[in-house]
Amino acid sequence: MSITILGIESSCDDTSAAIITDGVLRANLISSQEVHRQYGGVVPELASRAHQANIIPVVDGALKSAGLSISDIDAVAFTQGPGLLGSLLVGVSFAKGVALANNLPLLAVNHLQGHVLSHFIRETPESPLPQLPLLCLLVSGGHTQLIVVRSPHDMEIVGQTIDDAAGEAFDKCAKVMGLPYPGGPVIDRLSKEGNAKAFSFAKPAIAGLNYSFSGLKTSFLYTLRDHLREHPNFIEDNKADLCASLQSTIIDILLGKLKRACKQYGIKNVAIAGGVSANSGLRDALLQMGQKECWEVYLPPLRYTTDNAAMIAIAGYYKHQRDEFAPLDLAPQARMESLR
Ligand code: KG4
Ligand code: ZN
């Protein structure tokens, strides 16, 4: 029997709905909220309100684009967390309403597990799935984690940031340079014209497989402060070099621990996921490292790097296989410690 899942994602500032039948994507619609740009970051209350306005047209649009109606849906998957509580609440309540009104089961998805499982979204029934076990570096605006994926049902976090996430390092450093939010893609673009060796910034000395980015952020800030004293146009005159140097430091930190984790766990299938996995420098550097280390490298298509409901629908699909349904009284969670 074929199974069709409606997925709903609303954890931050993107409202998204997707439809997947038997692991194959049929529709994935995303409505991104522009309202936050003028504030230099996501404003939670505005995000919740925009989700409320967007969610019905987005779900409707996904059904239409798949040529389906709600009666064709077998289960509703939604992001339970982690994320902004008000934003999550909109998606969770909407999913419950759809499930209740149409007598459908619910599937609660961990957003981070969704990012990892974006590698399991198939565009056609013939699309190959990644080889397992897989080591996935999950790099988003709120998380930086090294995850051993033994199966879509079995993931273990083996390393993570003890302070800022990699995306946060990009965004915060961009902000002090006066670049627009989100800073990651802007730094990526400007880096292409800069010299990555122009400046050097502090790299953390954290034991094991954990990350830290707060020292780098401070070191970046101090470099700007010191130069600005004698050179008021320092940022403007060195923007591309600052971006390129910062980006290459973040990439070195990320890939250094990834390599170490692969050695420690004897894994040669490697993936990246999350918003920062769109970074062109990170993608190139990982491909190069993969060639040297004889890894099978999986880069997500750019449309699956940032928040989307296709990854929530595929995670729901795997939960459905195991009858892991959620009760109607399940609450959203701003923080989630494990990858269940
Ligand atoms: O996964 P995501 O869309 O949302 C979270 O779950 O956090 O990730 C958003 C993050 C932001 O920090 C953004 O700056 C970063 O991903 N990002 C990038 C790039 N595109 C998005 N960072 C570096 N280079 C990019 N090209
Ligand atoms: Zn995300």
Side-chain angles (χ1 to χ4, degrees), residues 42-295:
V42 177
V43 184
E45 180 56 30
L46 295 180
S48 321
R49 288 172 195 223
H51 282 305
Q52 274 187 312
N54 295 342
I55 196 147
I56 293 177
V58 167
V59 170
D60 224 27
L63 284 167
K64 282 208 177 84
S65 123
L68 298 176
S69 78
I70 197 72
S71 59
D72 298 309
I73 301 297
D74 296 301
V76 185
F78 63 90
T79 306
Q80 186 192 4
L84 300 170
L85 206 51
S87 291
L88 290 165
L89 201 54
V90 177
V92 173
S93 309
F94 187 82
K96 285 180 183 177
V98 172
L100 197 59
N102 297 281
N103 201 19
L104 296 174
L106 282 167
L107 301 154
V109 172
N110 179 318
H111 179 84
L112 303 175
Q113 199 173 25
H115 271 302
V116 176
L117 290 178
S118 59
H119 285 281
F120 290 73
I121 300 167
R122 283 180 295 154
E123 309 277 329
T124 69
E126 291 75 37
S127 315
L129 294 176
Q131 294 173 49
L132 297 168
L134 182 70
L135 221 147
C136 185
L137 169 65
L138 169 61
V139 268
S140 74
H143 294 83
T144 301
Q145 297 178 331
L146 286 165
I147 299 166
V148 173
V149 185
R150 298 190 181 91
S151 85
H153 306 282
D154 180 2
M155 301 185 192
E156 184 191 352
I157 301 166
V158 296
Q160 59 188 319
T161 182
I162 57 166
D163 42 56
D164 288 351
E168 237 172 326
F170 272 109
D171 295 342
K172 287 180 176 169
C173 291
K175 196 167 185 173
V176 297
M177 282 191 284
L179 299 176
Y181 175 87
V186 186
I187 291 183
D188 189 356
R189 202 180 63 239
L190 289 169
S191 290
K192 296 198 169 106
E193 286 123 49
N195 172 10
K197 297 205 165 26
F199 300 98
S200 67
F201 305 114
K203 285 193 197 158
I206 306 283
L209 296 178
N210 283 340
Y211 288 106
S212 164
F213 287 98
S214 70
L216 167 62
K217 183 182 64 187
T218 311
S219 157
F220 186 78
L221 199 64
Y222 284 178
T223 302
L224 295 189
R225 187 196 60 186
D226 295 347
H227 284 88
L228 279 169
R229 277 200 197 111
E230 275 140 43
H231 183 169
N233 282 333
F234 174 72
I235 297 179
E236 211 40 58
D237 294 346
N238 294 278
K239 207 171 254 176
D241 286 350
L242 282 166
C243 288
S245 304
L246 173 71
Q247 179 169 299
S248 98
T249 310
I250 294 176
I251 293 170
D252 277 359
I253 297 171
L254 289 173
L255 294 189
K257 292 280 167 126
L258 177 63
K259 188 167 156 185
R260 192 171 168 157
C262 286
K263 289 225 160 78
Q264 195 168 318
Y265 285 86
I267 295 178
K268 287 194 162 278
N269 305 309
V270 181
I272 49 175
V276 181
S277 70
N279 186 270
S280 58
L282 176 62
R283 292 168 83 95
D284 290 347
L286 178 60
L287 284 176
Q288 271 182 25
M289 184 176 269
Q291 260 191 350
K292 232 169 107 193
E293 300 292 322
C294 298
W295 292 341

Side-chain angles (χ1 to χ4, degrees), residues 307-319:
D307 293 345
N308 65 85
M311 68 187 199
I312 303 306
I314 193 73
Y317 168 71
Y318 283 108
K319 289 208 152 195

Side-chain angles (χ1 to χ4, degrees), residues 321-338:
Q321 282 187 340
R322 295 195 155 191
D323 293 340
E324 290 178 8
F325 298 113
L328 255 182
D329 62 355
L330 195 83
Q333 279 182 29
R335 296 175 65 86
M336 289 172 92
E337 298 308 330
S338 80

